Amino acid sequence: MYDNIEDKKSREEYTMLSKYRIKELRNNANISQDKLSEIIGVSRTQIIRWEKITKDNDAVIDSLYKNRMCRYFRVPLRKLYNCEYQEIVDIAKKDAIHIMKNAPKENRCDLTNVINSLSELMTQASNTECTKDTLDSIEDKLYEIVKLGKYDIFVLFDFLSERKLQKKTLSSEITEEIKAFLSCF
């Protein structure tokens, strides 16, 4: 279904993740709104709008710009949001439950096999230095789940943002997110 999930709009409009830490990250980096707008390729007015997003409005930041900010600030995607970490874990569980309930019947057997395979990979990788092959395999399994379940999962976006930071280990946060996701199957 998705050829390049990074080009797809994230699903935050369906979640509680609608407030960002952009101003805080920008101030910590000691850069102006003008400079950030130049770096990520939007207008200063857009930065101002994003900094004012609250949970009560419907504004959504395109994943392209979130990825650029994550790379610039050197933070994984979950650190861009102004929420408690438990909210991220809860989203992973909600995504899994959604996939379980809504995955096409013809994909469920393959989906079960992929989930079991990802569980084994996570056991092998748990917070140790991972080889590129292991990280590639985890990424492939997450993409397969998205394709078979026909549903974007936040944990994949978060995993990809960590990989872009060129980490060779799985952080405890992403490990917990994936395990919480898997625990619902």
Side-chain angles (χ1 to χ4, degrees):
M1 182 174 169
Y2 302 119
D3 295 325
N4 183 357
I5 197 156
E6 290 179 287
D7 291 341
K8 297 292 175 188
K9 208 169 210 181
S10 73
R11 300 172 24 274
E12 66 205 359
E13 60 265 44
Y14 306 115
T15 71
M16 73 230 29
L17 297 180
S18 57
K19 188 166 180 182
Y20 301 92
R21 297 176 51 226
I22 298 167
K23 186 173 185 175
E24 176 187 339
L25 291 167
R26 185 178 57 76
N27 287 338
N28 288 346
N30 200 26
I31 63 168
S32 67
Q33 290 169 330
D34 287 325
K35 182 68 175 167
L36 182 59
S37 69
E38 185 181 306
I39 290 166
I40 65 169
V42 298
S43 68
R44 178 176 177 268
T45 305
Q46 190 62 57
I47 298 294
I48 292 168
R49 281 189 202 123
W50 290 343
E51 288 183 353
K52 290 182 179 179
I53 289 175
T54 67
K55 291 186 180 192
D56 300 326
N57 64 26
D58 295 327
V60 175
I61 301 174
D62 189 272
S63 59
L64 170 71
Y65 301 116
K66 286 186 289 192
N67 286 333
R68 288 178 181 174
M69 283 187 277
C70 287
R71 272 184 264 147
Y72 178 77
F73 293 124
R74 302 199 44 76
V75 297
L77 182 61
R78 69 184 162 276
K79 299 285 186 186
L80 196 59
Y81 293 98
N82 189 21
C83 67
E84 297 296 320
Y85 179 67
Q86 188 56 47
E87 290 179 85
I88 302 288
V89 172
D90 291 344
I91 288 167
K93 291 178 180 179
K94 287 177 186 175
D95 284 350
I97 291 166
H98 178 87
I99 287 173
M100 279 181 11
K101 289 181 180 177
N102 299 299
K105 288 182 182 175
E106 65 272 11
N107 292 354
R108 291 192 180 168
C109 183
D110 290 338
L111 190 56
T112 300
N113 291 335
V114 172
I115 289 163
N116 290 338
S117 180
L118 180 56
S119 293
E120 290 173 21
L121 280 169
M122 292 307 296
T123 300
Q124 294 170 7
S126 55
N127 287 336
T128 61
E129 189 160 316
C130 297
T131 65
K132 182 183 180 317
D133 289 343
T134 302
L135 292 171
D136 288 347
S137 295
I138 291 169
E139 183 175 323
D140 290 345
K141 298 302 174 198
L142 290 169
Y143 271 116
E144 284 183 61
I145 290 168
V146 167
K147 287 178 184 175
L148 292 168
K150 300 196 181 291
Y151 189 69
D152 292 345
I153 54 177
F154 182 84
V155 70
L156 173 58
F157 291 106
D158 203 15
F159 177 82
L160 292 172
S161 70
E162 272 201 9
R163 289 229 41 204
K164 285 183 179 164
L165 297 175
Q166 300 175 340
K167 294 186 174 190
K168 293 183 180 170
T169 60
L170 291 174
S171 69
S172 59
E173 291 94 349
I174 197 69
T175 301
E176 185 178 343
E177 281 178 59
I178 294 172
K179 287 181 178 179
F181 175 79
L182 293 171
S183 74
C184 292
F185 286 98

